[in-house]
């Protein structure tokens, strides 16, 4: 039975969820073919009998798994004969740390740099849900949350310093080859590239060079998705 990934999509079929990108990269790392089904925010509850409220959702062999970390654990256990996502228990612990760092230190900053840009990419039927839910969470309008981002991007770049110092010493967060820890950081940066109309990374940043190496993997899967950063653009 084919693997199905329910993947967040915008009006133009642009796939932008950081968590779905982690799963896309994990599936490709394992060499697993999958069908990525475009799913808009207001369609999530229509998938899988309404059992889940978020994506990614993976269907495989009659099983349904939600949440990118749970999916990674499932893929590692179920397809243990294929390339490891973690490289062992220590690598899994490392990936968990990177995920917690990214979600607590990077995601909150990225949201306020691209939140209105995301809105402009959504299908009309998603506009009401997205604006209401995100403005409630942020405590302000989408426009106000994103305002002044040109002055705030430097703070985001500074928050990447742990990754920058690591990538000066090795080609990937995982070491000599990419592991799930790399995909954990790639996801939010791809989220910003695909939807955000300003470059979050300087072209001479080691993190930018690493990001492009990741985007080139698996037949350029990351680059094929349209985006806005000049150095990483696919054709619009």
């Amino acid at each position: 039975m084919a693997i199905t990934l329910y993947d967040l999509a915008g009006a133009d079929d642009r796939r932008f969820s950081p968590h779905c990108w982690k799963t896309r990269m994990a599936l490709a790392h394992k060499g697993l073919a999958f069908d990525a089904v475009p799913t808009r925010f207001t369609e999530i509850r229509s998938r899988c009998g309404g059992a889940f409220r978020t994506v990614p959702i993976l269907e495989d062999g009659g099983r349904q798994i939600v949440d990118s970390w749970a999916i990674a654990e499932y893929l590692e256990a179920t397809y243990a004969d294929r390339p490891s996502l973690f490289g062992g228990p220590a690598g899994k612990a490392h990936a968990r740390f990177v995920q917690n760092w990214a979600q607590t230190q990077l995601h909150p900053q990225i949201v306020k740099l691209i939140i209105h840009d995301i809105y402009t990419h959504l299908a009309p039927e998603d506009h009401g849900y997205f604006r209401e839910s995100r403005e409630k969470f942020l405590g302000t309008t989408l426009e106000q949350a994103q305002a002044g981002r040109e002055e705030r991007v430097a703070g985001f770049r500074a928050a990447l310093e742990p990754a920058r110092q690591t990538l000066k010493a090795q080609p990937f967060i995982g070491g000599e080859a990419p592991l799930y820890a790399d995909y954990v950081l790639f996801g939010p940066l791809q989220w910003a590239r695909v939807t955000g109309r300003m470059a979050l990374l300087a072209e001479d940043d080691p993190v930018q060079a690493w990001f492009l190496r990741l985007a080139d993997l698996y037949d350029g899967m990351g680059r094929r998705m349209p985006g806005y950063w000049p150095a990483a653009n696919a054709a619009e």
Side-chain angles (χ1 to χ4, degrees):
M1 184 179 295
I3 296 175
T4 300
L5 170 65
Y6 294 99
D7 190 12
L8 198 60
D12 61 353
D13 199 35
R14 192 174 300 229
R15 312 301 175 90
F16 60 91
S17 163
H19 308 297
C20 292
W21 272 103
K22 286 183 271 185
T23 298
R24 278 174 162 263
M25 298 296 278
L27 287 162
H29 182 103
K30 286 285 187 183
L32 296 167
F34 61 97
D35 180 22
V37 177
T39 304
R40 294 174 179 148
F41 281 109
T42 50
E43 294 175 330
I44 293 173
R45 294 301 296 269
S46 69
R47 308 301 190 195
C48 304
F52 307 111
R53 296 185 179 184
T54 62
V55 289
I57 305 165
L58 192 79
E59 286 189 328
D60 183 28
R63 293 194 60 179
Q64 297 174 341
I65 308 97
V66 68
D67 178 78
S68 58
W69 184 265
I71 291 170
E73 290 185 309
Y74 167 80
L75 294 175
E76 187 76 342
T78 305
Y79 299 98
D81 58 323
R82 292 171 177 260
S84 175
L85 289 170
F86 301 116
K92 184 175 181 179
H94 175 220
R96 191 186 299 275
F97 171 80
V98 175
Q99 172 146 298
N100 289 334
W101 169 64
Q103 293 192 168
T104 61
Q105 304 303 310
L106 303 182
H107 283 232
Q109 293 195 61
I110 293 174
V111 164
K112 293 183 179 181
L113 295 169
I114 66 171
I115 190 68
H116 189 262
D117 289 345
I118 296 171
Y119 176 82
T120 66
H121 284 296
L122 300 180
E125 56 266 35
D126 279 355
H127 282 166
Y129 162 78
F130 187 83
R131 182 175 286 277
E132 180 180 356
S133 61
R134 271 49 180 183
E135 290 186 349
K136 181 179 180 181
F137 174 77
L138 292 166
T140 188
T141 67
L142 304 182
E143 292 83 356
Q144 290 169 335
Q146 188 172 292
R149 61 180 175 178
E150 292 79 10
E151 290 74 42
R152 290 184 281 107
V153 71
F156 170 73
R157 292 175 179 178
L160 286 168
E161 192 61 23
R164 190 171 294 114
Q165 293 299 322
T166 300
L167 293 166
K168 288 179 180 179
Q170 60 197 49
F172 296 100
I173 302 295
E176 293 302 311
L179 291 173
Y180 192 69
D182 289 271
Y183 310 143
V184 164
L185 182 54
F186 178 83
L189 294 176
Q190 179 76 333
W191 178 34
R193 184 189 79 83
V194 168
T195 60
R197 290 179 169 87
M198 69 175 293
L200 298 195
L201 299 176
E203 291 190 16
D204 61 351
D205 191 333
V207 179
Q208 173 83 319
W210 161 87
F211 178 82
L212 295 177
R213 288 196 293 274
L214 268 289
D216 282 335
L217 292 175
Y218 316 122
D219 296 322
M221 184 169 69
R223 280 189 188 260
R224 291 200 304 271
M225 191 62 58
Y228 289 95
W229 296 357
N233 260 2
E236 290 282 349

